[in-house]
Amino acid sequence: MSTDSVQPKSGYWAGFDLGGTKMLAKIFDAQYKTLGKKRRKTKGHAGVELGLERMAQTIHQALEEAGLTPAELAGIGVGCPGPLDLEQGIIFEAPNLGWYNAPVKQVLEKEFGCPVILCNDVDAGVYGEYRFGAARGASSTLGIFPGTGIGGGAVYRGQLIQGSKSSCMEIGHIKVLPGGPECGCGQYGCLEALASRLAISAAAAQAAYRGDAPKLRSLAGTDLSDIRSGILASSIKGGDESVRKIILRAAEYIGIAAGNMVHTLSPEVIVLGGGLVEAMPDLFVEAVSEATRHNVMPTFKDSFKVVAAQLGDDSSVMGVAAWAQKVIQEQSSSRIKTQV
């Protein structure tokens, strides 16, 4: 069932955030008040077919909590990781889930009888902050979310910046240090290889091993997998100056990438999100703000502000529901004009 063959109905919208470890469904009314929600483990290892069935069940459970039926849904927005075919609603590849060519749109439209719109999960989070959170009221915004990798997205005058058929804005793969360390994508010197939480944790583990970060060593040892965002924050509070310098160096690289994007898009607001920012918002926001201003032309220095994301997990699920509403209503309006 294609979006063209299903019409938007009432004012109830579903948002769905598909993550590597958890999935979250929420049902919203027209004012984006949450009416029902359901969070479950993703269990992506079970495969695509069972995974899609699990997604449908989760939406059904959220609808049940909201006291609504599938027939009352106007549309569903799904935020997904990995390269996507936005037109066909297919996840080409989600390595964290082990999913390939997952027909999300087809399965959910058949199950619920309403239009389904897919969106990159970071794009969804940025749009959520633009509509409801830290960038509310701005005409344009840029989002940078450092985590295991570094995700990015941008809203320009109300529209998510997307490719012709797929998502784009891969800010984590902007080259900020030619000849720098190898990135997981196979290129060298990408922002992600230098400033992701994984890169920061690796550098911090080396500092702990050398004896330069005694607080970190006492908290987590030198095992990279144990050095999470909260541990890094505690290490800095405990006096590990070497870890603080690692964070500031990562912020400088993010500032280089953000400066490039300021010259390209001139966003009013740059939103920083993800676990690293949540763990140490003041340090991270101030450092990225200073680094970005250092890397732009004088004309642009006062044209933007850098802020921390406000919505947490809700950014993606609210954002993708609101984006689905926008796309579905625009498609419906376009069809009506064509018929007239």
Side-chain angles (χ1 to χ4, degrees), residues 247-266:
I247 294 292
L248 293 178
R249 186 163 62 247
E252 287 181 10
Y253 287 123
I254 292 174
I256 293 172
N260 288 333
M261 298 308 301
V262 167
H263 288 146
T264 305
L265 298 173
S266 189

Side-chain angles (χ1 to χ4, degrees), residues 204-229:
Q206 291 182 46
Y209 185 83
R210 292 193 305 264
D212 294 337
K215 182 63 176 178
L216 176 62
R217 185 159 188 158
S218 70
L219 290 171
T222 59
D223 189 336
L224 176 60
S225 63
D226 291 333
I227 302 176
R228 313 293 296 178
S229 298

Side-chain angles (χ1 to χ4, degrees), residues 131-317:
R131 282 287 305 274
F132 310 108
R136 188 173 184 178
S139 65
S140 301
T141 187
L142 169 71
I144 303 177
F145 288 60
T148 304
I150 296 183
V155 180
Y156 186 77
R157 297 187 177 181
Q159 292 288 335
L160 267 174
I161 294 180
Q162 297 176 308
S164 59
K165 292 185 178 181
S166 63
S167 60
C168 55
M169 294 302 295
E170 292 286 352
I171 288 172
H173 300 289
I174 290 177
K175 288 194 177 185
V176 294
L177 185 65
E182 185 175 8
C183 180
C185 72
Q187 301 296 313
Y188 292 84
C190 293
L191 179 63
E192 189 169 292
L194 292 155
S196 66
R197 199 267 305 162
L198 190 61
I200 290 169
S201 294
Q206 291 182 46
Y209 185 83
R210 292 193 305 264
D212 294 337
K215 182 63 176 178
L216 176 62
R217 185 159 188 158
S218 70
L219 290 171
T222 59
D223 189 336
L224 176 60
S225 63
D226 291 333
I227 302 176
R228 313 293 296 178
S229 298
I231 294 290
L232 291 167
S234 297
S235 166
I236 293 171
K237 288 180 181 177
D240 285 344
E241 184 62 20
S242 62
V243 176
R244 183 174 177 275
K245 288 180 178 178
I246 289 167
I247 294 292
L248 293 178
R249 186 163 62 247
E252 287 181 10
Y253 287 123
I254 292 174
I256 293 172
N260 288 333
M261 298 308 301
V262 167
H263 288 146
T264 305
L265 298 173
S266 189
E268 288 179 69
V269 180
I270 298 174
V271 179
L272 303 178
L276 272 171
V277 179
E278 291 174 7
M280 50 193 100
D282 294 338
L283 174 62
F284 221 94
V285 169
E286 182 180 348
V288 171
S289 180
E290 182 178 339
T292 304
R293 285 183 168 81
H294 182 71
N295 284 285
V296 297
M297 296 166 57
T299 306
F300 290 95
K301 286 186 184 295
D302 297 319
S303 68
F304 62 90
K305 62 180 180 179
V306 180
V307 298
Q310 294 177 349
L311 301 178
D313 286 349
D314 278 347
S315 62
S316 290
V317 74

Side-chain angles (χ1 to χ4, degrees), residues 14-16 23-27 34-41 53-70 73 111-112:
F16 193 95
M23 54 176 64
L24 172 65
K26 282 197 172 187
I27 310 299
T34 300
L35 303 179
K37 65 180 180 180
K38 180 64 179 179
R39 183 191 302 265
R40 305 173 77 189
K41 291 182 179 179
E53 182 180 320
R54 192 171 179 80
M55 289 174 67
Q57 289 172 351
T58 305
I59 296 171
H60 276 298
Q61 289 169 335
L63 278 169
E64 185 177 344
E65 183 177 288
L68 298 172
T69 66
L73 271 183
E111 178 72 21
F112 293 96

Side-chain angles (χ1 to χ4, degrees), residues 88-137:
Q88 299 300 317
I90 295 170
I91 301 175
F92 282 134
E93 180 180 0
N96 288 346
L97 301 174
W99 292 9
Y100 298 89
N101 298 316
V104 177
K105 176 182 174 72
Q106 179 185 9
V107 169
L108 294 184
E109 286 190 345
K110 182 178 180 181
E111 178 72 21
F112 293 96
C114 66
V116 174
I117 301 296
L118 261 64
C119 182
N120 174 268
D121 51 358
V122 179
D123 283 346
V126 174
Y127 192 72
E129 293 290 342
Y130 165 79
R131 282 287 305 274
F132 310 108
R136 188 173 184 178

